[in-house]
Amino acid sequence: MNDAKREAIFARLKEANPAPTTELNFSSPFELLVAVTLSAQATDVGVNKATAKLFPVANTPEAILELGEEGLKEYIKTIGLYNSKATNIIKACRMLVDKHDSQVPQTRKELEALPGVGRKTANVILNTAFDQPTMAVDTHIYRVANRTGIAPGKNVREVEDKLMKRVPKAYLKDAHHWLILHGRYTCLARKPRCGSCVIEDLCEYKEKAVD
């Protein structure tokens, strides 16, 4: 895929959705950190239901530490892997209090040092909370990047690196939101909705679905 076609793809995605953002509900970097940690192998809808009850009670590291691990589990037990997630969140809160003045750090190295925070989670926080141009490659972005030809790669990191290099700079900050939403609602895994896709004529997928 050439640069002109990539430019056209992101121009259309922007026109269709000028201000994309995460579908996780949050009102602070810390709330986003908790929500993204909970979202692994869970739906945003399920996470939002849990945090709608949790955050009014505890939305700071100190408040969650006060709840304790068992108390936290009561709020997140509807979410998959909640036991290990509760453990990681409590440990992360302790680190935030002890090492970061209860503030979510703004560097990848410091974020990835927090329990339960991997590269993808760090990328989401850096981008969505701190407006840094990062690419949090999940299954949706991996599929869309490969299927369309925007940035094909054999693994998540390869796709991330190619997207960072090939997405036009003007679109880089919002690109991962556009790609996630495109994969979630249009470029579906089993049967992409090619007939209602705003970039169908630019996409290089050879087996386009007929609606």
Side-chain angles (χ1 to χ4, degrees), residues 191-208:
K191 188 181 180 185
R193 294 171 176 163
C194 298
S196 59
C197 175
V198 296
I199 60 168
E200 182 187 8
D201 58 314
L202 299 168
C203 170
E204 298 183 352
Y205 186 46
K206 291 182 172 63
E207 301 171 33
K208 289 177 183 169

Side-chain angles (χ1 to χ4, degrees), residues 21 32 47 60 104-105 134 157 183:
T21 189
L32 181 63
V47 172
T60 65
V104 176
T134 60
R157 184 59 190 272

Side-chain angles (χ1 to χ4, degrees), residues 23-37:
E23 293 187 316
L24 291 168
N25 295 333
F26 72 99
S27 60
S28 70
F30 178 72
E31 286 188 0
L32 181 63
L33 171 62
V34 172
V36 178
T37 301

Side-chain angles (χ1 to χ4, degrees), residues 26-108:
F26 72 99
S27 60
S28 70
F30 178 72
E31 286 188 0
L32 181 63
L33 171 62
V34 172
V36 178
T37 301
L38 293 175
S39 72
Q41 295 180 296
T43 66
D44 288 359
V45 172
V47 172
N48 287 339
K49 284 181 181 178
T51 57
K53 295 177 181 177
L54 172 65
F55 289 157
V57 175
N59 69 343
T60 65
E62 291 89 346
I64 285 186
L65 286 171
E66 200 169 312
L67 273 183
E69 193 168 324
E70 293 307 313
L72 177 58
K73 286 179 185 178
E74 286 301 307
Y75 288 95
I76 66 170
K77 61 186 178 184
T78 54
I79 296 172
L81 307 176
Y82 74 94
N83 283 311
S84 59
K85 289 174 181 178
T87 300
N88 283 333
I89 289 170
I90 291 291
K91 288 179 180 177
C93 286
R94 175 53 59 197
M95 280 186 69
L96 290 175
V97 170
D98 292 346
K99 295 186 176 183
H100 301 287
D101 295 322
S102 300
Q103 300 300 306
V104 176
Q106 299 187 33
T107 70
R108 178 187 304 285

